[in-house]
Amino acid sequence: MDYVGNVIRPPSEAYSMIIQVTVGCSHNQCNFCGTYKGYGFYVKDIDQVKRDIDEAARYKFTRAFLADGDVLILPTEKLLDIITYLRERNPRVERIGVYGNTKAILKKTVEDLKLLRDAGLGIIYHGIESGNKEVLKRIKKGAYPHKQLEAAEKVKAAGIQLSQTVLLGIGGTELSEAHAIDTGKHLGAMSPDFASALTVMLLPNTGLYRDFKAGSFRLPDKFGLLRELRLIIEHMDVTRECFFTSNHASNYLPIRATLPGDRAAVLRLLDQVLGSRDESVLKPEHMRAL
Ligand code: SF4
């Protein structure tokens, strides 16, 4: 397989066949993200992508993920060609996933997305990070909440599963509470099929790290981060069932819950942990990772 650079995938695609279609990220400006720093974004040669799909067809897999960041930015026809070829060469494939940023989703019409769904695109991973406008501006996310909401509505209208991620700590101590409350409300309004909270990790090749070193960004402590998690869940009034997780390796406390049903139990657990401030129930620092 022809993998170039840092190839990442969502945790839930751990058992999927990864086919790299693009290299890097078409946005590549988020100030906390070091994954593709130093790479220019480009679309790989279609013949190479198809050679990888041919090679992958030797293996048994039912899910595939098209990497890297933001494959959805490709023209619909090109993406349809890749997805259709992948399913022709491996008819066992039940679900194909991609990362899609807000801009890429909004460039597609609902009809485009439906065509992609019918071809096999089953899930779009949409990193929103925060529901707070000031936070999104500071981190250079390139999309404000109303645009993220519009994008989420399109994906849902097309019948494609929507998985969104948010970042604990991304507002720093200064915007911690506003970030958490607005993010909870925003997730509630969008009501994705899946939502995950990750925790900010300060990576040396990022602008956020430089701000941290300069003292202009301060990360909440472990319990401050858990308080954010609590506020998010408290304010997340979903309109349909949502599977919520905080079991990513970056987090201090793993949670798996179906909202709204499990909300009261999760809040009770978080209150216990926040009340006791018992660090022994949290993931040790050396076991955290991206
Ligand atoms: S967080 Fe996502 S959209 Fe932002 S630069 Fe990194 S890969 Fe690109």
Side-chain angles (χ1 to χ4, degrees):
M1 302 292 283
D2 180 64
Y3 293 134
V4 180
N6 288 331
V7 181
I8 60 166
R9 47 124 187 103
S12 54
E13 300 285 347
Y15 301 105
S16 303
M17 177 58 72
I18 309 294
I19 306 288
Q20 191 180 28
V21 175
T22 62
V23 175
C25 162
S26 64
H27 178 58
N28 212 11
Q29 289 181 39
C30 300
N31 80 337
F32 59 89
C33 175
T35 310
Y36 303 119
K37 289 283 181 285
Y39 293 82
F41 175 78
Y42 66 89
V43 181
K44 289 174 78 174
D45 175 54
I46 189 75
D47 293 333
Q48 179 60 57
V49 173
K50 288 188 173 176
R51 276 196 294 277
D52 279 359
I53 291 172
D54 290 339
E55 190 180 336
R58 293 190 219 141
Y59 305 98
K60 287 184 181 169
F61 59 96
T62 55
R63 288 186 176 185
F65 181 75
L66 306 181
D68 277 342
D70 201 21
V71 166
L72 199 66
I73 201 81
L74 262 67
T76 302
E77 299 67 37
K78 197 160 189 169
L79 205 41
L80 278 173
D81 182 29
I82 293 167
I83 290 174
T84 305
Y85 188 72
L86 200 163
R87 289 193 90 195
E88 276 170 11
R89 297 291 288 120
N90 200 327
R92 284 191 209 93
V93 172
E94 292 161 2
R95 188 183 85 176
I96 297 169
V98 291
Y99 284 122
N101 68 29
T102 302
K103 184 173 137 203
I105 296 170
L106 291 178
K107 280 181 97 166
K108 300 269 182 273
T109 63
V110 173
E111 286 64 38
D112 288 335
L113 292 169
K114 281 183 178 168
L115 284 173
L116 291 166
R117 178 206 62 197
D118 291 344
L121 181 64
I123 186 164
I124 293 177
Y125 295 90
H126 183 207
I128 60 163
E129 328 309 353
S130 178
N132 180 274
K133 193 172 176 185
E134 179 59 26
V135 172
L136 291 170
K137 184 176 162 199
R138 289 187 188 184
I139 67 174
K140 302 187 173 68
K141 188 65 207 172
Y144 286 139
H146 68 287
K147 287 290 177 191
Q148 294 177 336
L149 178 63
E150 207 182 305
E153 292 302 333
K154 267 192 169 176
V155 174
K156 291 192 295 181
I160 296 174
Q161 287 192 315
L162 178 64
S163 179
Q164 295 181 311
T165 49
V166 299
L167 269 179
L168 302 178
I170 195 64
T173 50
E174 189 190 346
L175 296 174
S176 176
E177 185 167 313
H179 159 61
I181 292 173
D182 289 350
T183 301
K185 288 180 179 171
H186 194 38
L187 282 173
M190 291 186 287
S191 290
D193 300 276
F194 306 96
S196 333
L198 280 64
T199 298
V200 171
M201 303 214 40
L202 295 164
L203 305 172
N205 63 341
T206 62
L208 192 67
Y209 182 81
R210 289 190 287 280
D211 291 347
F212 170 73
K213 283 291 184 191
S216 56
F217 178 85
R218 284 187 298 141
L219 201 55
D221 67 11
K222 294 173 189 175
F223 292 102
L225 293 165
L226 288 182
R227 183 169 170 269
E228 287 189 8
L229 184 58
R230 194 207 183 282
L231 283 169
I232 289 172
I233 293 171
E234 181 188 346
H235 289 88
M236 202 171 148
D237 291 322
V238 288
T239 52
R240 58 180 194 154
E241 217 163 66
C242 171
F243 187 61
F244 182 95
T245 55
S246 71
N247 56 355
H248 185 263
S250 62
N251 290 326
Y252 287 103
L253 188 71
I255 282 172
R256 291 164 62 85
T258 302
L259 299 177
D262 297 337
R263 179 154 71 174
V266 173
L267 291 180
R268 266 199 308 278
L269 170 73
L270 284 165
D271 284 341
Q272 262 173 22
V273 176
L274 286 166
S276 70
R277 294 184 72 87
D278 177 3
E279 293 211 12
S280 71
V281 300
L282 306 182
K283 185 181 293 169
E285 202 61 54
H286 69 273
M287 289 183 69
R288 293 178 63 230
L290 269 181

